[in-house]
Amino acid sequence: MRALDEAELLSLWESGQTRHPIDRALLLCAWARPDVAPERFAQLPLGVVNAGLLRMRAALFGAHVEVQLDCEHCGEHLELALDIGELLAGASAQDERADVALQGFRFRVPHSRDLAALAHETDAQAAALRLLERCCVARPDAPATLADVLSEAEEQLEAADPLADLRLSVACEACGQPTQASLDAGDLLWGDVQQHARGLLGQVHSLAQAYGWTEGEVFALSPVRRAAYLDLVRD
Ligand SMILES: [Zn+2]
């Protein structure tokens, strides 16, 4: 992954601001994976996109992740600490995933383009069937329907691309029941980019106001000098 300097981080933030979260994840992924042609991102398996986003998050902002959730059973607020290295352990280094063959059907793993196509579907069951329909690349001659194989196909597609859906089952500290925690790699990384971009804008704002410096002049200062000037401005 290429390093991201402050001016680039700001321009990444600027171009991501107005995008839909799916497009934004692909924009971030394009930074994480300069080896992949931009037009290919929407057709990469979701697990490959997520792995790229998580690696970029670890490289830029560290591997430690905190997930907040409420227990599905008792409502207890839970905080979960995750390590990106552990999430990525065993992740395939390849960008391709094997198709799933089931009762004469053949399915490819889902891509970002599939998620975008389903973004307005509000019924979970209908969305799951439409997704399977999109991913179906071969059908049996027999009159079997997609609904017959839905749950088994979902299970096998998940096994074929485990990072596509970052869900973990955690035991609640209060009631001991298992509850589902989920992590959206695009949202996670975008949240950090946004927070750091706002921090940088705040620094430029303070120093521009005090000394009349431009953004470029502020970014050209060494971190030590910039911190020292910011201290003086605040005093
Ligand atoms: Zn609970």
Side-chain angles (χ1 to χ4, degrees):
M1 206 199 86
R2 56 187 154 151
L4 196 62
D5 68 25
E6 292 177 323
E8 286 171 329
L9 184 113
L10 268 191
S11 87
L12 189 58
W13 166 78
E14 196 176 14
S15 30
Q17 271 297 81
T18 53
R19 297 195 188 208
H20 183 277
I22 295 173
D23 283 339
R24 195 182 279 156
L26 293 178
L27 172 80
L28 294 169
C29 197
W31 270 94
R33 294 286 310 268
D35 58 312
V36 176
E39 64 276 10
R40 273 197 64 216
F41 281 107
Q43 286 154 295
L44 283 182
L46 291 173
V48 173
V49 172
N50 281 339
L53 293 169
L54 289 175
R55 285 195 187 99
M56 183 172 175
R57 163 48 159 76
L60 291 179
F61 307 111
H64 181 81
V65 178
E66 296 220 341
V67 178
Q68 315 243 353
L69 68 149
D70 293 326
C71 172
E72 294 161 19
H73 307 279
C74 71
E76 175 82 3
H77 184 70
L78 303 170
E79 280 172 21
L80 184 65
L82 300 173
D83 179 81
I84 289 179
E86 283 171 23
L87 288 175
L88 291 174
S92 165
Q94 306 295 319
D95 283 351
E96 309 298 330
R97 299 285 181 269
D99 286 347
V100 162
L102 197 63
Q103 294 180 33
F105 288 100
R106 182 170 283 278
F107 303 101
R108 60 162 176 83
V109 296
H111 305 155
S112 296
R113 193 167 284 170
D114 302 316
L115 285 193
L118 299 174
H120 300 294
E121 184 63 72
T122 49
D123 181 73
Q125 179 78 4
L129 267 176
R130 268 192 67 199
L131 179 63
L132 204 57
E133 177 79 55
R134 288 182 62 90
C135 295
C136 183
V137 291
R139 290 166 178 276
D141 296 330
T145 68
L146 286 174
D148 298 334
V149 295
L150 179 61
S151 65
E152 207 177 332
E154 281 183 327
E155 216 168 278
Q156 291 198 25
L157 285 169
E158 208 172 301
D161 192 23
L163 289 176
D165 193 358
L166 297 161
R167 267 182 304 172
L168 303 142
S169 181
V170 284
C172 171
E173 290 162 7
C175 72
Q177 294 287 314
T179 197
Q180 291 271 319
S182 66
L183 181 68
D184 185 314
D187 282 354
L188 171 74
L189 178 55
W190 178 249
D192 290 323
V193 166
Q194 214 167 14
Q195 192 188 337
H196 280 255
R198 285 187 186 138
L200 286 174
L201 290 173
Q203 293 181 7
V204 172
H205 172 73
S206 301
L207 296 176
Q209 241 180 358
Y211 303 110
W213 293 338
T214 64
E215 194 179 77
E217 284 168 334
V218 172
F219 288 162
L221 292 170
S222 72
V224 176
R225 252 185 225 208
R226 197 193 303 172
Y229 280 119
L230 284 166
D231 280 346
L232 288 169
V233 169
R234 282 178 197 129
D235 282 346

